[in-house]
Amino acid sequence: MKLLSVGNPKTLKGMKQGYNTYIMHLAPGSLSGHNTCPKATAGCLNACLNTAGRGGMFKRGENTNNIQKARIRKTQLFYNDREQFMTMLIKDIELAIKQSERQGLIPVIRLNGTSDIPFEKYEVKRAGKTYSNIFSAFPDIQFYDYTKVLGRKIGNISNYSLTFSAADGNDNDVMKAWQSGYNIAMVFGIKKTLPMPDSVDFYGNGFHANAPVFNGDESDLRFLDPRGVVVGLYAK
């Protein structure tokens, strides 16, 4: 069982910029019996990319497929045997590095393609040495994710970039995230039916900010985005 995959249409855009993105897709929400998205909203669960592409192709009369079953197995392994899970993840990252080198590309990693797990909390062992988390085990590799969880302790992790995701009902968290220095990812309808705005206004508790919108649909490489922007996305 492999934990990381490539081939997402949006992440493939990054190859034009020299990057090879590997994503881990776990079962979102509580599909596995474990909640991997503690701040999920009804809207984001309904629109989750878990059922995009082949992940959403079901035989008539069925509501699951091999991709969904594999994501549930991966997620259950994370919760039931974390040491084995992390060992597998390390092997996948090492393979990603070798594959990318052969292609002349820079490997970058998204651990939360369809989840929102604080991987900074979990120790890993690599080559006989214990590291505080997967990021410190691979200090030369860039990791990045989207999150809806405020207060994650990543300030001292230089190779992990987080973009805060706006969703239905989390306006207060969006405001706090913006004030804390996060870029904010926002979806602006479907491409070609709704133009992306030039800026977005944030209001709340006497606070007002006008944030420029950066087109995040050109690639998924959020760690390259300018700071202090709303990352505009179109619904997939």
Side-chain angles (χ1 to χ4, degrees):
M1 179 169 60
K2 290 181 65 63
L3 298 180
L4 300 177
S5 61
V6 293
N8 179 295
K10 187 176 179 185
T11 59
L12 287 175
K13 295 179 181 180
M15 297 180 77
K16 296 179 180 179
Q17 295 173 255
Y19 293 93
N20 201 11
T21 300
Y22 289 77
I23 302 183
M24 182 161 63
H25 291 288
L26 301 180
S30 299
L31 287 179
S32 67
H34 304 276
N35 187 6
T36 62
C37 305
K39 289 289 186 177
T41 65
C44 77
L45 287 173
N46 184 58
C48 183
L49 292 178
N50 180 51
T51 53
R54 290 182 297 170
M57 296 180 183
F58 307 117
K59 292 181 180 179
R60 182 173 297 179
E62 297 184 359
N63 60 4
T64 190
N65 56 34
N66 289 336
I67 291 175
Q68 296 298 327
K69 291 175 182 177
R71 291 176 182 176
I72 289 174
R73 286 197 301 271
K74 294 175 189 178
T75 309
Q76 291 176 338
L77 180 64
F78 173 78
Y79 286 98
N80 297 333
D81 192 344
R82 190 157 298 150
E83 184 174 354
Q84 182 183 353
F85 180 96
M86 290 301 186
T87 297
M88 292 171 61
L89 180 57
I90 285 173
K91 290 181 178 178
D92 273 13
I93 294 175
E94 291 173 341
L95 179 60
I97 293 170
K98 293 177 181 177
Q99 290 175 335
S100 298
E101 286 178 349
R102 288 196 295 268
Q103 295 174 277
L105 298 170
I106 300 170
V108 291
I109 312 292
R110 268 186 66 185
L111 298 177
N112 283 308
T114 43
S115 55
D116 199 353
I117 294 172
F119 282 95
E120 62 272 14
K121 292 183 177 181
Y122 305 110
E123 287 187 348
V124 300
K125 295 180 180 179
R126 184 188 181 199
K129 183 178 179 181
T130 299
Y131 295 87
S132 57
N133 51 55
I134 193 71
F135 313 113
S136 58
F138 292 92
D140 297 326
I141 299 298
Q142 178 68 55
F143 295 79
Y144 71 103
D145 275 318
Y146 300 84
T147 188
K148 291 184 181 71
V149 180
L150 285 173
R152 291 179 58 180
K153 308 299 183 183
I154 64 161
N156 64 337
I157 305 177
S158 61
N159 60 329
Y160 189 35
S161 172
L162 278 180
T163 299
F164 195 84
S165 292
D168 57 303
N170 74 342
D171 292 352
N172 288 336
D173 283 350
V174 167
M175 178 67 69
K176 293 175 182 177
W178 177 258
Q179 291 176 293
S180 298
Y182 282 96
N183 280 355
I184 309 295
M186 284 188 178
V187 176
F188 295 103
I190 300 173
K191 193 173 184 179
K192 297 182 180 178
T193 66
L194 184 68
M196 200 169 286
D198 294 325
S199 63
V200 171
D201 285 302
F202 292 131
Y203 294 94
N205 298 322
F207 176 83
H208 170 245
N210 181 260
V213 173
F214 175 81
N215 187 348
D217 237 36
E218 297 301 318
S219 81
D220 192 58
L221 304 173
R222 298 280 71 84
F223 58 93
L224 295 180
D225 293 344
R227 302 307 305 163
V229 299
V230 166
V231 180
L233 304 170
Y234 286 112
K236 304 297 184 294

